[in-house]
Amino acid sequence: MADEATQELSITPDAVAGGTTHVSDEVVEKIAVAATRGVPGVTELGGDVARFFNAVLDRVGLDQVGDARRGCSAHVTNGAAVINLVLVIAAGHPVPQVTDEVRAAVASAVEAYGLRVDEINIKVDDVAMGSPPPAA
């Protein structure tokens, strides 16, 4: 037994276990909502009913419930996402400009996670009249 040689196993950094990775729809929704909230002119996300229920939740102290994905739905298939957003835009902000900026921000954010974005559909559900107009 003393004459037996010890065999060394070389581990290369290229050796990676196989398998699949699936990014859930909910993850893409959270990424898209976070990116959308950062666009100037977007005041809220979600349709009338979602905003109503959110206001009720705010009043009873559950102000964080549902905020992370509200106003967004996404479907991921084979590494590609289709994203649907419902927005409220501040008064005085041009809709085409805001929606173009939303699409750019969302696409950039989602693609940073390694996914492809096939579509970003946007519905402008309301205009927030109490918002200050954009600076000229």
Side-chain angles (χ1 to χ4, degrees):
M1 289 213 190
D3 293 340
E4 289 183 25
T6 303
Q7 183 180 7
E8 290 186 21
L9 296 175
S10 62
I11 300 174
T12 62
D14 296 334
V16 177
T20 61
T21 302
H22 175 75
V23 178
S24 73
D25 297 348
E26 292 83 7
V27 169
V28 173
E29 290 166 0
K30 288 180 180 182
I31 295 165
V33 166
T36 300
R37 289 186 188 282
V39 174
V42 174
T43 61
E44 289 188 69
L45 282 94
D48 292 336
V49 173
R51 292 192 320 270
F52 169 78
F53 281 114
N54 194 64
V56 171
L57 291 171
D58 287 351
R59 286 190 193 114
V60 296
L62 299 173
D63 55 343
Q64 299 300 317
V65 175
D67 281 351
R69 298 183 346 205
R70 182 170 41 107
C72 183
S73 65
H75 185 67
V76 181
T77 306
N78 298 325
V82 173
I83 301 165
N84 300 299
L85 296 163
V86 180
L87 309 178
V88 177
I89 293 181
H93 287 264
V95 171
Q97 179 182 340
V98 173
T99 56
D100 285 349
E101 290 179 23
V102 166
R103 281 189 179 91
V106 169
S108 177
V110 172
E111 288 170 354
Y113 283 83
L115 297 170
R116 186 178 79 243
V117 177
D118 284 348
E119 289 180 34
I120 300 173
N121 303 304
I122 300 173
K123 176 184 178 184
V124 177
D125 188 66
D126 202 354
V127 63
M129 299 306 288
S131 301

